Amino acid sequence: MLLLKTSNAVLVYQVWRYSPSFVRAYATQSGLGRAPVVSRKQVTVANDDGRVNWKDLTTREKAARTTQKTFHLGVILTGLVMTGGVAYLLYTDVFAADSRTSIFNRAVDEVRASRRAQEVLGPANKIRAFGEPTWNRWARARPIASTIRKDGNGREHLLMHFNVDGPLNTGVVNMHMIKNPATSEYEYKYLTLDVQGQATIYLRNTDAEKKAKPPGFRLFGAQWR
């Protein structure tokens, strides 16, 4: 008998003949020709990390992966819709030209630029504008009182009022704007400043401005100014 040692097993060689049953038994005991068995956890909705190939999944595991992917897609779509909604509200309420915040800022600039307003309130850079008082004295942003309604012709009317103060006095600003159907922009009907003990100051008065324009005359059936 001749024995040769290797790193994995001892191979037995015999010069004389052995029975086939002995050779089969020896090969079975040494583990030659046996494929290794790899075990894994069952894939579920909770533990699926995508490492197992789709073709290696059972029918139940495929259903679990499909459910997980559908749920993730729903979460992503919901997030996109919510983000778009917030962006739309932010634009329409703050950045759009006809937003109430933009209109408020424009009216504040009108007050600060008015010489008559400066006479009763103080220097332009000292005039401060703010909304309605709130019960929370720590609140920095005060709501601006405003409302929008439509008349019989379908035109939008914006009514707004807010408070102003300066080194000399405090006052209330009232404004009425009408959206022009042709331009879709709000135009002043009036913008007033009321200070206690003072007559109402008209910063804008469209009706009075129209009356102040010189009347035109008609010639050849046309109105001339």
Side-chain angles (χ1 to χ4, degrees), residues 134-212:
T134 62
W135 61 270
N136 185 2
R137 62 191 182 94
W138 298 105
R140 298 183 61 183
R142 299 183 181 182
I144 306 299
S146 63
T147 183
I148 295 178
R149 66 168 185 262
K150 289 187 177 182
D151 59 19
N153 297 323
R155 297 183 305 174
E156 290 186 2
H157 293 249
L158 171 63
L159 303 175
M160 180 184 294
H161 73 268
F162 55 89
N163 301 286
V164 291
D165 66 4
L168 303 179
N169 282 300
T170 61
V172 177
V173 175
N174 291 279
M175 58 184 296
H176 182 182
M177 304 186 79
I178 303 175
K179 179 174 282 190
N180 188 333
T183 61
S184 297
E185 294 182 356
Y186 282 104
E187 298 175 353
Y188 283 109
K189 182 176 177 62
Y190 64 76
L191 177 65
T192 65
L193 171 62
D194 291 307
V195 177
Q196 188 174 5
Q198 302 285 340
T200 298
I201 300 174
Y202 281 86
L203 306 177
R204 288 293 190 95
N205 191 348
T206 303
D207 294 338
E209 291 173 359
K210 290 181 179 179
K211 293 179 181 179

Side-chain angles (χ1 to χ4, degrees), residues 46-213:
N47 67 6
D48 186 15
D49 56 6
R51 295 182 181 179
V52 181
N53 294 329
W54 176 263
K55 64 180 181 179
D56 297 329
L57 298 176
T58 64
T59 302
R60 186 173 182 179
E61 291 174 332
K62 289 179 179 179
R65 176 168 293 181
T66 302
T67 302
Q68 185 193 69
K69 299 300 183 184
T70 303
F71 174 76
H72 289 169
L73 179 61
V75 171
I76 293 174
L77 292 178
T78 301
L80 291 176
V81 171
M82 294 181 64
T83 302
V86 171
Y88 174 78
L89 291 176
L90 187 63
Y91 173 77
T92 56
D93 288 346
V94 178
F95 298 109
D98 61 347
S99 68
R100 302 188 188 190
T101 301
S102 296
I103 292 173
F104 166 76
N105 291 333
R106 188 167 64 179
V108 172
D109 291 339
E110 293 267 357
V111 174
R112 290 172 176 166
S114 171
R115 180 183 58 81
R116 298 179 63 190
Q118 294 178 22
E119 290 175 356
V120 296
L121 296 176
N125 59 350
K126 299 294 184 180
I127 296 176
R128 186 173 62 98
F130 52 91
E132 297 298 304
T134 62
W135 61 270
N136 185 2
R137 62 191 182 94
W138 298 105
R140 298 183 61 183
R142 299 183 181 182
I144 306 299
S146 63
T147 183
I148 295 178
R149 66 168 185 262
K150 289 187 177 182
D151 59 19
N153 297 323
R155 297 183 305 174
E156 290 186 2
H157 293 249
L158 171 63
L159 303 175
M160 180 184 294
H161 73 268
F162 55 89
N163 301 286
V164 291
D165 66 4
L168 303 179
N169 282 300
T170 61
V172 177
V173 175
N174 291 279
M175 58 184 296
H176 182 182
M177 304 186 79
I178 303 175
K179 179 174 282 190
N180 188 333
T183 61
S184 297
E185 294 182 356
Y186 282 104
E187 298 175 353
Y188 283 109
K189 182 176 177 62
Y190 64 76
L191 177 65
T192 65
L193 171 62
D194 291 307
V195 177
Q196 188 174 5
Q198 302 285 340
T200 298
I201 300 174
Y202 281 86
L203 306 177
R204 288 293 190 95
N205 191 348
T206 303
D207 294 338
E209 291 173 359
K210 290 181 179 179
K211 293 179 181 179
K213 290 183 178 180

Side-chain angles (χ1 to χ4, degrees), residues 10-59:
V10 177
L11 302 180
V12 180
Y13 292 86
Q14 291 185 335
V15 177
W16 56 88
R17 186 187 313 173
Y18 283 96
S19 65
S21 61
F22 176 82
V23 176
R24 287 196 299 269
Y26 184 82
T28 301
Q29 292 177 4
S30 62
L32 296 177
R34 180 176 297 176
V37 178
V38 179
S39 61
R40 62 175 177 82
K41 293 183 179 180
Q42 182 179 5
V43 174
T44 63
V45 176
N47 67 6
D48 186 15
D49 56 6
R51 295 182 181 179
V52 181
N53 294 329
W54 176 263
K55 64 180 181 179
D56 297 329
L57 298 176
T58 64
T59 302

